[in-house]
Amino acid sequence: YVAIDPFGFAIGRLEAALLGAGIVAVFAMAVALVCCRYRKPNGGFAWIARINDFWRRHTAAIGFHGKLFFHETHKLLVVGRGLLVVAAALLLCYSVAESPYLRSDSQVNMHLEAYYRQSQGPVSEENEVFVQTQRDKLASLQEEYEELVELYEEGYLTESEFGFRAMQYSNLWEKEEALAQYEAHLDTLKSVPNAHILPHWVYAELFGTGSSKTVGTLTTISVVAILLICGLYSSTEASTGMTKVRRATLKGRKQALIARYGAACLLTVVVCAVVWGLQILLLDLSYEGLPYLLAPICSLQYFREASAQWSILGYWLVQAAGRTLMLCIASCALLWGADRLQK
Protein backbone atom coordinates (compact mmCIF):
# COMPACT_ATOMS: atom_id res chain seq x y z
CA TYR A 1 0.00 0.00 0.00
CA VAL A 2 3.01 2.31 -0.21
CA ALA A 3 2.51 5.20 -2.64
CA ILE A 4 5.91 6.89 -2.28
CA ASP A 5 9.01 6.10 -0.26
CA PRO A 6 11.09 9.29 0.28
CA PHE A 7 14.25 8.89 2.38
CA GLY A 8 13.07 5.48 3.60
CA PHE A 9 9.78 6.75 5.08
CA ALA A 10 6.80 4.84 3.67
CA ILE A 11 3.79 7.04 2.86
CA GLY A 12 0.49 5.39 1.89
CA ARG A 13 -2.01 6.59 -0.68
CA LEU A 14 -4.29 8.27 1.89
CA GLU A 15 -1.41 10.09 3.60
CA ALA A 16 -0.05 11.20 0.21
CA ALA A 17 -3.49 12.53 -0.83
CA LEU A 18 -3.90 14.47 2.44
CA LEU A 19 -0.38 15.88 2.16
CA GLY A 20 -1.01 16.97 -1.42
CA ALA A 21 -4.32 18.59 -0.44
CA GLY A 22 -2.58 20.49 2.35
CA ILE A 23 0.11 21.81 0.00
CA VAL A 24 -2.50 22.90 -2.56
CA ALA A 25 -4.56 24.60 0.18
CA VAL A 26 -1.54 26.57 1.46
CA PHE A 27 -0.61 27.61 -2.08
CA ALA A 28 -4.21 28.65 -2.86
CA MET A 29 -4.37 30.69 0.36
CA ALA A 30 -1.13 32.48 -0.54
CA VAL A 31 -2.43 33.27 -4.05
CA ALA A 32 -5.71 34.58 -2.63
CA LEU A 33 -3.89 36.86 -0.16
CA VAL A 34 -1.61 38.25 -2.88
CA CYS A 35 -4.56 38.86 -5.20
CA CYS A 36 -6.52 40.63 -2.45
CA ARG A 37 -3.49 42.77 -1.64
CA TYR A 38 -2.69 43.97 -5.16
CA ARG A 39 -6.07 43.94 -6.90
CA LYS A 40 -7.54 47.14 -8.32
CA PRO A 41 -9.79 49.16 -5.98
CA ASN A 42 -12.73 49.35 -8.40
CA GLY A 43 -12.39 46.14 -10.36
CA GLY A 44 -10.07 43.26 -10.88
CA PHE A 45 -12.40 40.50 -9.75
CA ALA A 46 -15.74 41.85 -10.87
CA TRP A 47 -15.87 39.08 -13.50
CA ILE A 48 -16.20 36.53 -10.72
CA ALA A 49 -19.21 38.38 -9.31
CA ARG A 50 -20.74 38.58 -12.79
CA ILE A 51 -20.32 34.83 -13.33
CA ASN A 52 -21.82 34.17 -9.91
CA ASP A 53 -24.81 36.41 -10.62
CA PHE A 54 -25.29 34.79 -14.04
CA TRP A 55 -25.24 31.31 -12.49
CA ARG A 56 -27.69 32.22 -9.70
CA ARG A 57 -30.03 33.99 -12.12
CA HIS A 58 -30.25 31.10 -14.59
CA THR A 59 -30.41 28.30 -12.06
CA ALA A 60 -32.81 29.88 -9.56
CA ALA A 61 -35.80 28.02 -11.01
CA ILE A 62 -34.12 24.63 -10.81
CA GLY A 63 -31.73 25.32 -7.97
CA PHE A 64 -31.74 24.12 -4.39
CA HIS A 65 -34.41 26.62 -3.36
CA GLY A 66 -36.79 26.03 -6.29
CA LYS A 67 -38.27 22.90 -4.74
CA LEU A 68 -38.88 22.06 -1.11
CA PHE A 69 -36.97 18.76 -1.35
CA PHE A 70 -33.84 20.47 -2.77
CA HIS A 71 -34.17 23.26 -0.23
CA GLU A 72 -34.06 20.70 2.59
CA THR A 73 -31.10 18.98 0.92
CA HIS A 74 -29.29 22.32 0.76
CA LYS A 75 -29.89 22.87 4.46
CA LEU A 76 -28.74 19.35 5.22
CA LEU A 77 -25.48 19.52 3.25
CA VAL A 78 -24.45 23.18 3.13
CA VAL A 79 -26.08 25.10 5.97
CA GLY A 80 -25.84 22.16 8.38
CA ARG A 81 -22.25 21.38 7.26
CA GLY A 82 -23.25 17.90 6.21
CA LEU A 83 -20.74 17.92 3.34
CA LEU A 84 -17.85 18.24 5.79
CA VAL A 85 -19.13 15.28 7.81
CA VAL A 86 -19.57 13.20 4.64
CA ALA A 87 -16.07 14.04 3.44
CA ALA A 88 -14.55 13.14 6.82
CA ALA A 89 -16.53 9.87 6.95
CA LEU A 90 -15.41 8.88 3.45
CA LEU A 91 -11.77 9.57 4.33
CA LEU A 92 -12.06 7.36 7.41
CA CYS A 93 -13.80 4.61 5.41
CA TYR A 94 -11.08 4.81 2.75
CA SER A 95 -8.43 4.51 5.44
CA VAL A 96 -10.14 1.43 6.92
CA ALA A 97 -10.93 -0.29 3.62
CA GLU A 98 -7.54 0.53 2.08
CA SER A 99 -5.75 -1.68 4.61
CA PRO A 100 -7.97 -4.76 4.92
CA TYR A 101 -7.42 -7.25 7.67
CA LEU A 102 -4.92 -9.53 5.92
CA ARG A 103 -5.26 -11.90 8.81
CA SER A 104 -2.24 -13.53 10.44
CA ASP A 105 -4.22 -16.72 10.89
CA SER A 106 -3.04 -20.12 12.09
CA GLN A 107 -0.65 -22.06 9.88
CA VAL A 108 -3.38 -24.57 9.05
CA ASN A 109 -5.78 -21.89 7.81
CA MET A 110 -3.02 -20.12 5.89
CA HIS A 111 -2.17 -23.32 3.99
CA LEU A 112 -5.87 -24.05 3.50
CA GLU A 113 -6.34 -20.60 1.95
CA ALA A 114 -3.35 -21.29 -0.31
CA TYR A 115 -4.98 -24.53 -1.48
CA TYR A 116 -8.25 -22.67 -2.18
CA ARG A 117 -6.46 -20.05 -4.26
CA GLN A 118 -4.36 -22.54 -6.21
CA SER A 119 -7.38 -24.62 -7.24
CA GLN A 120 -10.18 -22.03 -7.44
CA GLY A 121 -12.86 -22.63 -10.03
CA PRO A 122 -15.82 -24.96 -10.64
CA VAL A 123 -15.64 -28.29 -8.84
CA SER A 124 -14.40 -30.94 -11.26
CA GLU A 125 -12.05 -33.89 -11.56
CA GLU A 126 -9.14 -31.45 -11.66
CA ASN A 127 -9.64 -30.89 -7.94
CA GLU A 128 -9.08 -34.60 -7.28
CA VAL A 129 -5.89 -34.41 -9.34
CA PHE A 130 -4.85 -31.37 -7.32
CA VAL A 131 -5.40 -33.24 -4.02
CA GLN A 132 -3.39 -36.22 -5.20
CA THR A 133 -0.56 -33.95 -6.42
CA GLN A 134 -0.39 -32.22 -3.06
CA ARG A 135 -0.39 -35.57 -1.25
CA ASP A 136 2.52 -36.77 -3.39
CA LYS A 137 4.44 -33.59 -2.58
CA LEU A 138 3.84 -34.02 1.14
CA ALA A 139 4.88 -37.67 1.00
CA SER A 140 8.09 -36.69 -0.79
CA LEU A 141 8.83 -34.03 1.81
CA GLN A 142 8.16 -36.52 4.59
CA GLU A 143 10.67 -38.97 3.08
CA GLU A 144 13.27 -36.22 2.76
CA TYR A 145 12.74 -35.27 6.40
CA GLU A 146 13.14 -38.88 7.55
CA GLU A 147 16.39 -39.18 5.59
CA LEU A 148 17.58 -35.96 7.20
CA VAL A 149 16.82 -37.37 10.66
CA GLU A 150 18.79 -40.53 9.84
CA LEU A 151 21.82 -38.48 8.76
CA TYR A 152 21.64 -36.51 12.01
CA GLU A 153 21.33 -39.63 14.16
CA GLU A 154 24.28 -41.24 12.38
CA GLY A 155 26.42 -38.19 13.11
CA TYR A 156 26.81 -36.87 9.58
CA LEU A 157 25.19 -33.55 10.55
CA THR A 158 25.79 -31.27 13.47
CA GLU A 159 22.90 -30.00 15.55
CA SER A 160 23.05 -26.53 14.02
CA GLU A 161 23.13 -27.96 10.47
CA PHE A 162 20.22 -30.26 11.22
CA GLY A 163 18.17 -27.42 12.75
CA PHE A 164 18.83 -25.15 9.79
CA ARG A 165 17.92 -27.78 7.17
CA ALA A 166 14.90 -29.02 9.14
CA MET A 167 13.25 -25.58 9.12
CA GLN A 168 11.82 -26.19 5.65
CA TYR A 169 9.99 -29.27 6.96
CA SER A 170 8.64 -27.65 10.13
CA ASN A 171 5.08 -27.17 8.84
CA LEU A 172 4.46 -30.61 7.33
CA TRP A 173 1.77 -31.43 9.90
CA GLU A 174 -0.06 -28.15 9.25
CA LYS A 175 -0.02 -28.76 5.50
CA GLU A 176 -1.41 -32.28 5.97
CA GLU A 177 -4.18 -31.00 8.25
CA ALA A 178 -5.05 -28.22 5.80
CA LEU A 179 -5.16 -30.70 2.91
CA ALA A 180 -7.45 -32.99 4.93
CA GLN A 181 -9.83 -30.09 5.58
CA TYR A 182 -9.69 -29.13 1.92
CA GLU A 183 -10.55 -32.67 0.85
CA ALA A 184 -13.45 -32.84 3.32
CA HIS A 185 -14.83 -29.54 2.01
CA LEU A 186 -14.41 -30.79 -1.57
CA ASP A 187 -16.44 -33.91 -0.78
CA THR A 188 -19.21 -31.69 0.61
CA LEU A 189 -19.26 -29.48 -2.48
CA LYS A 190 -19.66 -32.42 -4.86
CA SER A 191 -23.33 -32.66 -3.89
CA VAL A 192 -23.97 -28.94 -4.51
CA PRO A 193 -25.00 -27.93 -8.05
CA ASN A 194 -22.64 -25.46 -9.73
CA ALA A 195 -20.34 -25.49 -6.70
CA HIS A 196 -17.00 -23.65 -6.82
CA ILE A 197 -13.72 -23.75 -4.94
CA LEU A 198 -13.23 -20.17 -3.79
CA PRO A 199 -10.68 -18.15 -1.80
CA HIS A 200 -12.19 -17.47 1.60
CA TRP A 201 -10.32 -14.53 3.12
CA VAL A 202 -11.49 -11.90 0.63
CA TYR A 203 -15.14 -12.89 1.12
CA ALA A 204 -14.68 -12.99 4.88
CA GLU A 205 -13.68 -9.32 4.59
CA LEU A 206 -16.60 -8.57 2.29
CA PHE A 207 -19.25 -10.16 4.53
CA GLY A 208 -17.60 -9.36 7.86
CA THR A 209 -17.55 -12.97 9.03
CA GLY A 210 -15.17 -14.58 11.51
CA SER A 211 -12.57 -12.25 12.98
CA SER A 212 -12.88 -9.67 10.20
CA LYS A 213 -13.79 -6.24 11.57
CA THR A 214 -13.85 -4.18 8.36
CA VAL A 215 -17.60 -4.26 7.73
CA GLY A 216 -18.41 -3.49 11.37
CA THR A 217 -16.03 -0.55 11.37
CA LEU A 218 -17.48 0.84 8.12
CA THR A 219 -21.02 0.49 9.48
CA THR A 220 -20.04 2.24 12.73
CA ILE A 221 -18.49 5.14 10.78
CA SER A 222 -21.66 5.45 8.68
CA VAL A 223 -23.90 5.48 11.77
CA VAL A 224 -21.78 8.15 13.49
CA ALA A 225 -21.77 10.26 10.31
CA ILE A 226 -25.57 10.06 10.03
CA LEU A 227 -25.97 10.98 13.68
CA LEU A 228 -23.73 14.02 13.26
CA ILE A 229 -25.43 15.16 10.04
CA CYS A 230 -28.95 14.86 11.48
CA GLY A 231 -27.87 16.46 14.75
CA LEU A 232 -26.32 19.44 12.96
CA TYR A 233 -29.40 19.71 10.77
CA SER A 234 -31.74 19.85 13.75
CA SER A 235 -29.53 22.31 15.62
CA THR A 236 -29.47 24.57 12.56
CA GLU A 237 -33.24 24.66 12.41
CA ALA A 238 -33.51 25.28 16.14
CA SER A 239 -30.90 28.07 16.18
CA THR A 240 -32.48 29.92 13.24
CA GLY A 241 -36.00 29.62 14.62
CA MET A 242 -37.22 27.71 11.55
CA THR A 243 -38.78 24.93 13.59
CA LYS A 244 -41.66 27.06 14.83
CA VAL A 245 -42.10 28.74 11.45
CA ARG A 246 -42.21 25.37 9.67
CA ARG A 247 -44.84 24.02 12.04
CA ALA A 248 -46.96 27.13 11.59
CA THR A 249 -47.14 26.85 7.78
CA LEU A 250 -49.95 25.07 5.96
CA LYS A 251 -47.64 22.31 4.65
CA GLY A 252 -45.30 22.23 7.60
CA ARG A 253 -46.59 19.03 9.14
CA LYS A 254 -46.89 17.00 5.95
CA GLN A 255 -44.99 17.88 2.82
CA ALA A 256 -42.14 19.66 4.58
CA LEU A 257 -41.76 16.76 6.97
CA ILE A 258 -41.74 14.28 4.10
CA ALA A 259 -39.18 16.42 2.28
CA ARG A 260 -36.91 16.45 5.33
CA TYR A 261 -37.09 12.69 5.78
CA GLY A 262 -36.66 12.16 2.04
CA ALA A 263 -33.53 14.32 1.98
CA ALA A 264 -32.10 12.43 4.96
CA CYS A 265 -32.82 9.03 3.36
CA LEU A 266 -31.37 10.09 0.02
CA LEU A 267 -28.16 11.28 1.64
CA THR A 268 -27.97 8.06 3.67
CA VAL A 269 -28.35 5.93 0.53
CA VAL A 270 -25.68 7.94 -1.31
CA VAL A 271 -23.20 7.69 1.57
CA CYS A 272 -23.83 3.94 2.00
CA ALA A 273 -23.49 3.31 -1.74
CA VAL A 274 -20.16 5.13 -1.79
CA VAL A 275 -18.93 3.28 1.32
CA TRP A 276 -19.90 -0.20 0.06
CA GLY A 277 -18.57 0.57 -3.43
CA LEU A 278 -15.30 1.81 -1.95
CA GLN A 279 -15.00 -1.39 0.08
CA ILE A 280 -15.47 -3.61 -3.00
CA LEU A 281 -13.01 -1.56 -5.06
CA LEU A 282 -10.25 -1.68 -2.46
CA LEU A 283 -10.82 -5.37 -1.69
CA ASP A 284 -10.58 -6.08 -5.41
CA LEU A 285 -7.26 -4.22 -5.57
CA SER A 286 -5.89 -5.73 -2.36
CA TYR A 287 -6.78 -9.37 -3.02
CA GLU A 288 -6.38 -9.23 -6.82
CA GLY A 289 -10.04 -9.71 -7.57
CA LEU A 290 -13.27 -11.14 -6.19
CA PRO A 291 -13.63 -14.27 -8.35
CA TYR A 292 -16.83 -16.10 -9.25
CA LEU A 293 -19.34 -13.68 -7.74
CA LEU A 294 -22.20 -15.67 -9.29
CA ALA A 295 -21.12 -18.90 -7.59
CA PRO A 296 -23.46 -20.33 -4.89
CA ILE A 297 -22.90 -18.74 -1.49
CA CYS A 298 -22.78 -22.21 0.09
CA SER A 299 -19.46 -22.79 -1.69
CA LEU A 300 -17.89 -20.80 1.14
CA GLN A 301 -17.15 -22.80 4.26
CA TYR A 302 -18.71 -20.28 6.66
CA PHE A 303 -21.96 -20.19 4.58
CA ARG A 304 -22.23 -23.94 4.02
CA GLU A 305 -25.73 -24.01 5.58
CA ALA A 306 -27.11 -21.39 3.15
CA SER A 307 -29.33 -22.27 0.21
CA ALA A 308 -27.61 -23.13 -3.08
CA GLN A 309 -30.05 -20.77 -4.84
CA TRP A 310 -28.25 -17.74 -3.41
CA SER A 311 -25.24 -16.43 -5.29
CA ILE A 312 -22.43 -14.52 -3.59
CA LEU A 313 -23.34 -11.28 -5.38
CA GLY A 314 -27.06 -11.62 -4.65
CA TYR A 315 -26.46 -12.38 -0.98
CA TRP A 316 -24.15 -9.37 -0.65
CA LEU A 317 -26.64 -7.05 -2.40
CA VAL A 318 -29.41 -8.13 0.00
CA GLN A 319 -27.08 -7.68 2.96
CA ALA A 320 -25.98 -4.21 1.81
CA ALA A 321 -29.60 -3.18 1.09
CA GLY A 322 -30.66 -4.34 4.56
CA ARG A 323 -27.90 -2.35 6.25
CA THR A 324 -28.72 0.71 4.16
CA LEU A 325 -32.42 0.41 5.06
CA MET A 326 -31.55 0.18 8.75
CA LEU A 327 -29.43 3.32 8.48
CA CYS A 328 -32.24 5.16 6.66
CA ILE A 329 -34.65 4.21 9.45
CA ALA A 330 -32.09 5.39 12.02
CA SER A 331 -31.70 8.78 10.30
CA CYS A 332 -35.47 9.31 10.10
CA ALA A 333 -35.89 8.22 13.72
CA LEU A 334 -33.22 10.71 14.77
CA LEU A 335 -34.96 13.58 12.97
CA TRP A 336 -38.29 12.52 14.48
CA GLY A 337 -36.76 12.42 17.96
CA ALA A 338 -35.16 15.84 17.44
CA ASP A 339 -38.56 17.27 16.48
CA ARG A 340 -40.11 15.85 19.62
CA LEU A 341 -37.37 17.30 21.82
CA GLN A 342 -37.68 20.75 20.25
CA LYS A 343 -41.39 21.08 21.03
Side-chain angles (χ1 to χ4, degrees), residues 91-101 213-214 217-218 221 282:
L91 281 176
L92 287 175
C93 290
Y94 182 84
S95 178
V96 171
E98 183 192 27
S99 302
Y101 182 67
K213 301 178 181 178
T214 303
T217 305
L218 294 178
I221 294 174
L282 293 176

Side-chain angles (χ1 to χ4, degrees), residues 5-251:
D5 189 16
F7 307 107
F9 295 98
I11 300 179
R13 291 194 295 264
L14 179 62
E15 290 79 5
L18 293 177
L19 180 62
I23 295 174
V24 171
V26 172
F27 178 75
M29 186 182 301
V31 171
L33 291 175
V34 172
C35 292
C36 291
R37 173 65 178 81
Y38 292 101
R39 67 174 182 154
K40 297 178 182 179
N42 296 323
F45 287 89
W47 58 275
I48 297 180
R50 290 196 296 270
I51 292 177
N52 190 28
D53 292 339
F54 177 84
W55 173 259
R56 289 177 177 273
R57 187 168 59 254
H58 287 83
T59 59
I62 59 174
F64 282 115
H65 304 290
K67 299 291 184 179
L68 183 59
F69 176 79
F70 294 112
H71 176 75
E72 295 294 335
T73 305
H74 179 267
K75 286 199 301 181
L76 194 69
L77 296 177
V78 181
V79 181
R81 304 175 187 87
L83 281 176
L84 295 177
V85 177
V86 171
L90 291 180
L91 281 176
L92 287 175
C93 290
Y94 182 84
S95 178
V96 171
E98 183 192 27
S99 302
Y101 182 67
L102 298 172
R103 57 184 69 185
S104 55
D105 213 332
S106 65
Q107 288 290 327
V108 174
N109 288 337
M110 291 177 68
H111 292 301
L112 180 60
E113 178 68 13
Y115 290 147
Y116 283 141
R117 285 192 168 273
Q118 292 171 18
S119 62
Q120 58 183 314
V123 174
S124 63
E125 294 181 357
E126 295 181 359
N127 300 111
E128 297 288 348
V129 176
F130 174 79
V131 172
Q132 187 59 43
T133 302
Q134 296 301 320
R135 288 202 176 279
D136 294 340
K137 288 182 179 180
L138 291 176
S140 176
L141 289 174
Q142 185 65 33
E143 291 177 1
E144 293 177 4
Y145 179 71
E146 291 175 356
E147 292 176 0
L148 184 65
V149 172
E150 290 179 2
L151 291 174
Y152 172 69
E153 290 177 348
E154 293 174 0
Y156 292 102
L157 295 175
T158 63
E159 185 176 354
S160 60
E161 290 176 339
F162 172 75
F164 178 75
R165 295 177 60 178
M167 290 177 62
Q168 58 182 322
Y169 307 104
S170 60
N171 56 357
L172 282 177
W173 179 86
E174 288 84 356
K175 288 183 178 180
E176 292 177 356
E177 179 65 23
L179 188 60
Q181 293 183 18
Y182 174 89
E183 191 171 10
H185 188 204
L186 179 62
D187 293 337
T188 304
L189 292 179
K190 289 179 181 178
S191 60
V192 178
N194 195 30
H196 285 64
I197 295 293
L198 300 170
H200 280 51
W201 282 358
V202 59
Y203 291 116
E205 295 291 341
L206 181 63
F207 291 107
T209 60
S211 56
S212 176
K213 301 178 181 178
T214 303
V215 174
T217 305
L218 294 178
T219 305
T220 302
I221 294 174
S222 301
V223 170
V224 173
I226 290 172
L227 291 175
L228 287 175
I229 290 173
C230 295
L232 291 172
Y233 180 78
S234 299
S235 65
T236 301
E237 280 202 334
S239 62
T240 56
M242 286 300 299
T243 304
K244 297 180 179 180
V245 176
R246 176 174 52 80
R247 294 199 188 101
T249 58
L250 179 62
K251 301 178 180 180

